Structure formats: C-alpha cells, structure tokens
Amino acid sequence: MERAELARELERLHAESWGWALACCARDRELAEESLQTAYVRMISGRARYDGRSSVKSWVFGVIRMTAMDEARRRRRRLERTAGAVAAIDVPDPSPGAEVVAERSEQSAALIAALKKLSPRQQEVLQLVFYHGMTIEEAAGVMQLSLGSGRTHYERGKKALAQILTGEIDR
Amino acid sequence: MNEPGDDELRARFERLREDDHAHAPSFRAMWARAEPRARTTRRALTAALIGMVAAASVVLAVMNSSPSPSVAVAPTISDWSSPTAGLLHTMGSELLAPPPILSSVLGGAAIVPAQP
C-alpha cells in the first residue's frame, strides 16, 4: 500500500482505532495511546504489511491488538523489575481520572463495568461486533480465532452481558 | 426484568463509542510522532539486512577459497606401484621377461609379403 493511501486509511479509521486500542488496553488511556502510536509506527515502517487478505480495518485492528499485547507485556515486566516481584502482576485497573469519569455518560460507565466482568475474548468480540459494526467472521479474523470459536464467545458473552446489565448475576 | 436485546446493546455501545471518539487523541499529532520513529525503524532494519548479506558473503568467500578435503583426487591405478615391487627384480629376470610385441620390434614398419 502506498504511503499516501496508508495515511488516508489510518486517518479515516483513527477514531475507531482509538476505541479499539482502549478496549485492548482495559481502557487505560496512557497504555492505549502508546499502543496506538507504536501500531502506527509498525504500519508506516513496513514492519506490519497489508497483504490484501482482509479488509484494511481488520488488518489495522489486528496490528493494534498485537501491539497492545506487546505493550502490556512490556509494562508488566517493567513493573516486576521496579517492584522486585517475581510472580506475574496483573496490570492495575486504570483510574481514568476524575474529569474523564465526569464526562463519560453514566450508561457508558455501567457498560464498561459490566464488560470487565466478562472474559477477555468475550469482551473483544462484543466490542468488535457492537461497537465497531463488524460481523462475527470479521471479529474472529481480528482475534485470530476460528469462526466457530468466535461465535461461541459472542453468544456466551452477549448472554452474560445482558444478565449483568439487568443485575441478574453479579460475576 | 427483561434482558436488553441486541438493539439495546447496540445503542449502549454506540453511546460509549461517542464518548470515546470525543476524547480521541489527534491523528495528525500521532502521525507526526510516528513518522520519525518509523524512519529510524526502517534504517535499523535496512542496516540489519545489509549486515546479514555481508556476513553471508564473507562466509561463502571463505568456503570457496579453501579446498574441500572431501574432494581429494584419487590416484589412478596406473600410478600405483607395489611397495614390494623392488623384490621382484632379481638377476636374470629379464631372461624370463615375455617377448616384445612384433610391432614394437619392427618399429611400426609395414610387413611386406615375400615375393614368390
């Protein structure tokens, strides 16, 4: 893909890419910015190349997902080194900041809290389908899963999310 | 209480999307920061590739300059002589030697049949 065309596509998808980076980084804004920036570097430098086998959006989202995992791993190692801990450390639940919390609608906050109770795969597939408008097949491609696995995570995740939002279960 | 259906879930995610998009970082600022980093990455990749090609060339050159020990030329059977050949030469052994071949004695001269 030519550089000018890549720039146009990335700009067109930027807002969506930001939303996806947030989802991949457990809504940690700082980590999401780092991950999205690094993903752009990889695409511009050619370390990640578009081969035409999927849509541009699916490709961009796949790069962002892998980059977010790398950045999260790097941050965990940094924390382990500075804290001197040997065991794996969970990435701390990010505090978005008071001003961001105030600006976010109440419903969005409730949805985010409900999503966090699902498994990572369920969160991802629901985000890709409901937030980004992908088909289950496209979502499975981004997540590098078979269609069957993607559909299973989708169905179970959707059912669980609906139950959590209505307060039927508190996982 | 009725569970939210697909439409309601979609509406909730749409509100979250609007919130996120309203606070997305500037694309131009991110692109401007990404470009110099991408150039550095490309230069590093190119340098690494050139280094690999140079190393491979050196290895190939060294391999081609020194003869391979496995390609030694085997001596022909006519070059071989028995280590005990000297023991076969005794005095008068030439008397027991087979007669010379006719052509070698005549020195290649033509044999003219005798005139009747």
Side-chain angles (χ1 to χ4, degrees):
Chain A
M1 191 186 293
E2 293 293 325
R3 194 183 179 77
E5 190 187 348
L6 176 64
R8 275 196 302 275
E9 289 293 328
L10 292 182
E11 186 165 17
R12 178 179 70 84
L13 293 166
H14 180 67
E16 294 269 354
S17 299
W18 170 245
W20 178 233
L22 274 175
C24 291
C25 297
R27 307 208 68 87
D28 180 335
R29 190 185 169 92
E30 190 186 320
L31 185 60
E33 258 194 78
E34 261 177 56
S35 301
L36 186 56
Q37 181 81 76
T38 304
Y40 283 170
V41 170
R42 287 181 177 179
M43 288 183 270
I44 297 169
S45 68
R47 274 188 67 190
R49 285 182 193 276
Y50 177 59
D51 59 12
R53 283 189 289 176
S54 62
S55 67
V56 175
K57 183 173 173 178
S58 294
W59 170 65
V60 170
F61 276 31
V63 175
I64 291 169
R65 183 173 180 269
M66 295 307 296
T67 307
M69 285 163 61
D70 291 343
E71 292 294 316
R73 206 175 298 129
R74 203 169 292 143
R75 178 186 272 199
R76 264 199 302 275
R77 275 196 226 117
R78 233 180 3 247
L79 285 173
E80 283 168 8
R81 272 200 304 269
T82 55
V86 174
I89 294 175
D90 287 331
V91 175
D93 191 29
S95 172
E99 66 286 354
V100 178
V101 170
E103 287 164 355
R104 190 180 286 156
S105 72
E106 204 176 293
Q107 272 209 338
S108 295
L111 179 60
I112 291 167
L115 282 167
K116 282 185 177 163
K117 294 176 180 176
L118 304 179
S119 74
R121 291 266 167 92
Q122 288 172 355
Q123 289 182 49
E124 283 184 304
V125 72
L126 293 179
Q127 168 94 11
L128 288 167
V129 171
F130 285 107
Y131 184 119
H132 297 288
M134 285 189 173
T135 62
I136 297 175
E137 188 175 0
E138 286 170 330
V142 170
M143 294 165 64
Q144 298 184 312
L145 294 176
S146 66
L147 177 56
S149 294
R151 191 168 279 133
T152 301
H153 290 301
Y154 170 77
E155 294 296 343
R156 288 182 184 167
K158 193 173 70 163
K159 187 177 170 67
L161 181 63
Q163 288 171 343
I164 292 167
L165 287 172
T166 54
E168 279 184 38
I169 57 173
D170 185 23
R171 288 165 124 213
Chain B
M1 194 174 188
N2 287 335
E3 287 176 4
D6 280 17
D7 286 344
E8 190 177 335
L9 283 178
R10 206 165 277 117
R12 285 176 179 254
F13 273 96
E14 179 58 35
R15 270 189 284 277
L16 176 60
R17 200 177 127 108
E18 284 166 8
D19 284 348
D20 289 342
H21 287 195
H23 300 103
S26 152
F27 171 74
R28 290 191 184 275
M30 289 197 101
W31 180 267
R33 282 196 299 273
E35 274 198 304
R37 278 179 63 188
R39 270 197 296 274
T40 307
T41 303
R42 268 200 302 271
R43 272 192 226 119
L45 283 173
T46 307
L49 193 61
I50 291 171
M52 277 167 52
V53 169
S57 306
V58 166
V59 167
L60 280 171
V62 166
M63 279 171 63
N64 286 338
S65 63
S66 50
S68 171
S70 62
V71 196
V73 177
T76 62
I77 193 68
S78 57
D79 295 336
W80 181 83
S81 61
S82 165
T84 56
L87 299 173
L88 295 174
H89 292 295
T90 53
M91 281 183 62
S93 62
E94 57 273 16
L95 296 173
L96 297 175
I101 298 169
L102 190 60
S103 61
S104 67
V105 168
L106 294 176
I111 301 171
V112 178
Q115 295 291 329

